[in-house]
Amino acid sequence: MTPCNSSSVNKSGSMKGYKIAIIVIVPLLGLLFPLFIIVRIISFTRVRARMISLTPGRESNLENEVNDGDIFSIWNYDGRIVYKDIIEATEGFSDKYCIAMGGYGRVYKAELPTGQTFAIKKLYPMEGDQKSFRSEIQALTAIRHRNIVKLYGFCSHASHEFLIYEFMQRGSLSAILNDDGGAVALDWVNRINVIRGLAHALSYMHHDCTPPIVHRDISTGNVLLNSEFEASISDFGTARFLEHGSSNWTVVIGTYGYVAPELAYTMKVNEKSDVYSFGVVVREVMMGRHPGELISSLFYTHFQNTLLMDVLDQRLPPPTDENANEIVLAMFLAFECIRANPQSRPTMQTVSKELSANRIQLQEPLNSIAMDQLLNPEM
């Protein structure tokens, strides 16, 4: 027999091992390469400031959302430029540009080189907690209404996180009511329009959105007015989507004096908590101040015998006959909204329709109507 050639055996074995290595490694590289690309993209986007124009109801698509003349469509292509413009416009978020402060951040006025002005809400640094940031983006990209503040975009950066809104020239409703000059400018016609606008916005959130959205912090501090005194609800950092079949349990959140009393013991959020807060806001708008003890003492005799005219904001001239029906209707609905039993409160859809229809017809002069008559819709 011919002796085996050891070198041939080694060569054959090596070739066989090489083929096996190719069969294993090539597919493995095919799997690892896309993973490597994904990791690189994620790393890049985390380092880079992100500026995304947001379209309600769907995910942002940078190329499909380009509109001629829309500054934010330009911003989509280079978030770093936008970030730089905002930092320069506010001088690194200097206090002199701060126009408001809240529980989750400070709001700055930014006038950009384009000539446009925006409100920048810079969130306080809360390590490991982006819930408010995400909640606001999620809520405001799911809704579009003329009486809800517009969110144009957001920036998430290693140093700062902020949201970019339309600028509301007259600021918060609370600030206006606390200023005598502002309160006088906010006459009865404007106050009725503010109330009606808020009712329409809340009705839209509760009944026209799927799932429904509850704001959870309706107050005069979270209502902004533009140059025409048109109101918009702002600050959706505490907003919740009411998922069908979910328990919707929550901690008590909101502004003191506007929170529905049942939240102290039920801890369950629903639309009726917003209804209660709306009722308090309506009364504050009509009275020019927070109703305070008048809420809890609503049905006490000494308040029932008080004339409505004595409760209304005394800084304004007496309402005309033309405005009287709307004022009485607004106050009546406010009483309905702050009922102790949540189930007895109307829905915001009902309130919105009633304010639009204005079916109340006064049977006597406004200056003779007592507070207890507001419990009776037939006036």
Side-chain angles (χ1 to χ4, degrees):
M1 295 178 66
T2 305
C4 293
N5 189 326
S6 60
S7 62
S8 297
V9 171
N10 291 339
K11 183 176 180 180
S12 176
S14 298
M15 289 297 293
K16 184 176 181 181
Y18 181 73
K19 290 179 181 179
I20 292 172
I22 292 176
I23 293 171
V24 173
I25 292 172
V26 170
L28 185 60
L29 288 174
L31 292 172
L32 290 176
F33 183 75
L35 182 61
F36 173 78
I37 296 298
I38 292 171
V39 170
R40 291 290 295 169
I41 291 173
I42 293 173
S43 300
F44 176 76
T45 54
R46 282 184 176 178
V47 172
R48 180 181 177 183
R50 300 188 303 276
M51 182 63 61
I52 302 175
S53 180
L54 301 170
T55 299
R58 61 187 177 90
E59 295 180 357
S60 299
N61 185 316
L62 300 187
E63 300 205 350
N64 292 339
E65 290 181 0
V66 175
N67 297 312
D68 292 338
D70 182 358
I71 185 172
F72 289 96
S73 69
I74 298 172
W75 286 10
N76 282 328
Y77 292 103
D78 198 337
R80 290 170 295 184
I81 293 177
V82 180
Y83 178 79
K84 181 174 178 290
D85 284 345
I86 290 174
I87 296 298
E88 290 180 353
T90 60
E91 297 182 21
F93 297 107
S94 169
D95 287 347
K96 68 181 181 180
Y97 295 98
C98 183
I99 56 177
M101 296 177 63
Y104 293 94
R106 309 179 84 187
V107 181
Y108 298 83
K109 180 180 179 180
E111 297 182 22
L112 301 190
T114 58
Q116 292 179 280
T117 303
F118 299 97
I120 312 299
K121 180 181 177 181
K122 180 177 179 291
L123 274 68
Y124 297 132
M126 289 182 279
E127 197 168 325
D129 181 13
Q130 289 188 318
K131 189 173 182 179
S132 174
F133 184 71
R134 292 170 180 168
S135 293
E136 193 135 8
I137 293 171
Q138 185 182 19
L140 288 174
T141 54
I143 54 182
R144 176 178 291 177
H145 192 278
R146 65 179 299 167
N147 296 112
I148 295 175
V149 69
K150 295 178 180 64
L151 174 67
Y152 288 115
F154 68 90
C155 182
S156 180
H157 187 269
S159 302
H160 309 291
E161 283 187 335
F162 53 81
L163 301 155
I164 302 171
Y165 299 97
E166 64 176 321
F167 179 70
M168 304 294 280
Q169 295 86 344
R170 295 190 181 273
S172 74
L173 178 57
S174 174
I176 292 173
L177 292 174
N178 288 326
D179 176 73
D180 289 342
V184 171
L186 191 66
D187 59 23
W188 295 118
V189 173
N190 286 326
R191 295 190 190 206
I192 290 296
N193 288 336
V194 165
I195 292 169
R196 190 179 288 120
L198 296 181
H200 294 339
L202 287 171
S203 176
Y204 166 80
M205 290 164 55
H206 293 177
H207 302 281
D208 297 325
C209 292
T210 305
I213 300 173
V214 178
H215 187 279
R216 296 204 298 168
D217 194 14
I218 296 295
S219 69
T220 53
N222 288 333
V223 175
L224 304 178
L225 275 64
N226 65 14
S227 59
E228 303 300 319
F229 291 100
E230 186 172 21
S232 290
I233 298 175
S234 69
D235 202 343
F236 281 73
T238 60
R240 281 278 296 272
F241 289 85
L242 296 184
E243 300 288 351
H244 179 69
S246 174
S247 62
N248 295 309
W249 292 99
T250 182
V251 296
V252 178
I253 291 178
T255 303
Y256 178 76
Y258 301 87
V259 179
E262 68 273 8
L263 290 180
Y265 55 87
T266 64
M267 307 292 284
K268 187 174 183 179
V269 65
N270 58 43
E271 298 95 329
K272 293 302 178 77
S273 58
D274 277 355
V275 174
Y276 180 92
S277 301
F278 170 80
V280 178
V281 168
V282 171
R283 300 196 65 194
E284 186 171 349
V285 170
M286 291 289 99
M287 297 170 63
R289 64 188 188 281
H290 190 277
E293 65 174 359
L294 191 53
I295 296 178
S296 58
S297 303
L298 176 61
F299 300 106
Y300 290 2
T301 303
H302 61 284
F303 279 115
Q304 288 179 350
N305 294 330
T306 301
L307 290 175
L308 174 59
M309 283 292 294
D310 294 337
V311 172
L312 297 178
D313 195 340
Q314 300 299 302
R315 293 172 294 182
L316 294 183
T320 63
D321 293 340
E322 185 178 352
N323 304 136
N325 285 350
E326 294 176 310
I327 291 173
V328 171
L329 175 60
M331 289 293 282
F332 163 71
L333 290 172
F335 280 126
E336 293 291 291
C337 290
I338 61 175
R339 287 186 177 275
N341 181 0
Q343 301 307 316
S344 299
R345 298 170 198 157
T347 65
M348 286 310 307
Q349 187 174 63
T350 298
V351 171
S352 178
K353 289 179 178 179
E354 288 292 332
L355 286 170
S356 296
N358 190 22
R359 285 191 286 262
I360 284 185
Q361 295 296 322
L362 299 182
Q363 303 299 318
E364 55 185 293
L366 181 62
N367 58 15
S368 65
I369 295 177
M371 295 290 282
D372 63 334
Q373 292 177 262
L374 295 176
L375 305 177
N376 179 9
E378 299 297 332
M379 288 175 282

